[in-house]
Amino acid sequence: MPLVRISLRRGKPPAYRKSIRDGIYRAMLEAFNVPVDDRFMIVSEHDADDFDYSPTYLGIARSDDLVIIQVTANQGRTLEQKKEFYRRIAELLSADPGLRPQDVFINLVEVAKENWSFGNGVAQYA
């Protein structure tokens, strides 16, 4: 059950934001084998003054189109799955909505299965 938080500069149209969500979801299906309908995503837009990043950290030339993607997911995926997940997101978002791979920043946070409640106050995976 990944929970995806997407942060970007304010001003992109709804179709652009939807393309980002759709691309990430497709990568989750393909690389992380998440179940169909396991889709929980939050998009946050920020004014320039509230969106601070290094344009050159690790020699990567980032622009104001930077999208920061934080994925919270269950523990247990292999290093190969993670690498494929990152690669696939960058590839899909490059195709649509046209993001440069340099502007795709991904952070994966892994948690134990008992740390989720999908509703009703129940820990469904515990």
Side-chain angles (χ1 to χ4, degrees):
M1 186 280 175
L3 171 62
V4 180
R5 295 180 181 276
I6 303 160
S7 298
L8 65 155
R9 291 271 302 264
R10 188 175 312 282
K12 299 295 185 188
Y16 183 93
R17 297 189 310 268
K18 182 179 183 320
S19 292
I20 291 171
R21 293 190 316 269
D22 290 347
I24 294 168
Y25 179 62
R26 183 171 165 191
M28 289 190 315
L29 290 170
E30 294 174 5
F32 270 12
N33 301 316
V34 300
V36 173
D37 290 335
D38 190 352
R39 183 173 173 141
F40 298 88
M41 300 183 177
I42 302 163
V43 176
S44 300
E45 294 183 280
H46 305 273
D47 294 326
D49 290 342
D50 296 322
F51 196 75
D52 192 10
Y53 65 91
S54 169
T56 59
Y57 183 67
L58 295 178
I60 300 169
R62 294 173 195 83
S63 75
D64 285 342
D65 286 332
L66 178 68
V67 175
I68 298 175
I69 302 162
Q70 185 173 58
V71 180
T72 303
N74 290 334
Q75 298 169 335
R77 293 189 171 82
T78 66
L79 177 58
E80 291 76 25
Q81 284 177 300
K82 293 172 190 178
K83 287 180 176 182
E84 176 60 15
F85 181 56
Y86 306 147
R87 186 197 65 74
R88 193 66 176 127
I89 288 174
E91 179 180 70
L92 290 166
L93 298 188
S94 179
D96 186 20
L99 271 169
R100 297 172 339 120
Q102 298 91 330
D103 288 325
V104 179
F105 180 107
I106 305 164
N107 171 241
L108 176 63
V109 179
E110 294 182 295
V111 300
K113 286 185 174 186
E114 66 267 16
N115 291 340
W116 299 99
S117 173
F118 296 90
N120 296 323
V122 176
Q124 286 83 358
Y125 287 164

